[in-house]
Amino acid sequence: MRTLVLYKSNTGCTKEYAEKIAKAFQTEAVPLKKGEFKKINFEDYDTIVFGGWILGSQIQGIDDFLWRWDEMSEKNVIVFAVGMSFATKESRNNLISANLLDMYHLRFYQLRGGFDYQKLGPIQKFMFNIGISQAKRETDGKTDVDFLTTIKETPFEYSDEAGVNRIIGVMQSIENGTPKA
């Protein structure tokens, strides 16, 4: 079984997960770049994995990835999204809905990643600071302000090994002909 692992990463968490998945299948994790993405021949692969980081409720890179869905629709497709919050049933369902993933036949996983304000680009830093300002204006936003200020000043790392292992396990079961949900 030939596996392709693509990812879109901002601060490195999504890249790390993609590399772990790729390593388990002795392949390479490839960063999703618009120009390069158009050159990929999906017919060469049985399983295609895409990982993207979450900004708001949008999985970054998912639109470019799904733009070529017709070429992948007969493949085993797995999508994972990485954000700094804990994965819950509600947050997972919100991501599926916001990114229209329910329109596609694919497996979706939400993983928790870390956060490092210093690794953000100028636009993301600007948006983050707007979030702090908005939280300060809310009368009950004290907890949010404290949390956002803390993570801005103190990077944290989180590695969802169980989530990555779940994805790898599903991929192995697909490879063995006994697919799991």
Side-chain angles (χ1 to χ4, degrees):
M1 177 171 91
R2 297 247 357 229
T3 301
L4 174 64
V5 179
L6 299 165
Y7 68 91
K8 182 91 171 177
S9 188
N10 189 44
T11 62
C13 296
T14 308
K15 177 182 179 183
E16 182 181 322
Y17 290 144
E19 288 175 345
K20 287 179 181 181
I21 294 166
K23 183 178 179 184
F25 292 90
Q26 299 171 350
T27 191
E28 183 181 353
V30 180
L32 176 65
K33 296 178 184 172
K34 249 184 185 165
E36 296 296 313
F37 184 62
K38 293 177 183 178
K39 298 176 186 176
I40 296 171
N41 184 0
F42 289 110
E43 292 203 11
D44 293 342
Y45 303 96
D46 302 302
T47 300
I48 301 163
V49 179
F50 171 74
W53 59 283
I54 302 168
L55 178 62
S57 61
Q58 295 300 308
I59 303 168
Q60 301 304 295
I62 195 70
D63 291 339
D64 292 331
F65 178 71
L66 293 175
W67 179 74
R68 294 194 50 199
W69 178 255
D70 289 344
E71 300 168 61
M72 295 182 274
S73 63
E74 301 297 319
K75 309 289 181 176
N76 297 305
V77 180
I78 296 173
V79 172
F80 68 92
V82 180
M84 66 182 203
S85 62
F86 287 104
T88 65
K89 185 176 184 178
E90 181 182 4
S91 64
R92 182 181 185 280
N93 289 339
N94 287 341
L95 286 168
I96 290 169
S97 177
N99 293 277
L100 305 175
L101 298 181
D102 48 355
M103 295 177 57
Y104 303 91
H105 182 73
L106 53 78
R107 290 170 174 87
F108 174 70
Y109 300 88
Q110 181 183 359
L111 305 175
R112 185 169 186 219
F115 183 81
D116 187 344
Y117 178 82
Q118 296 304 318
K119 291 183 179 179
L120 297 178
I123 294 171
Q124 288 85 20
K125 285 182 179 178
F126 177 75
M127 291 175 63
F128 188 87
N129 290 324
I130 286 176
I132 291 175
S133 296
Q134 287 176 335
K136 285 180 181 177
R137 283 192 293 271
E138 296 176 5
T139 57
D140 61 348
K142 175 83 171 102
T143 304
D144 292 339
V145 171
D146 291 345
F147 173 73
L148 293 172
T149 302
T150 299
I151 66 170
K152 180 179 179 180
E153 297 169 358
T154 309
F156 72 90
E157 290 186 29
Y158 185 88
S159 186
D160 188 350
E161 296 301 320
V164 171
N165 289 336
R166 188 169 48 253
I167 294 169
I168 291 170
V170 167
M171 292 173 64
Q172 288 170 337
S173 68
I174 291 169
E175 187 174 77
N176 295 332
T178 56
K180 296 179 183 177

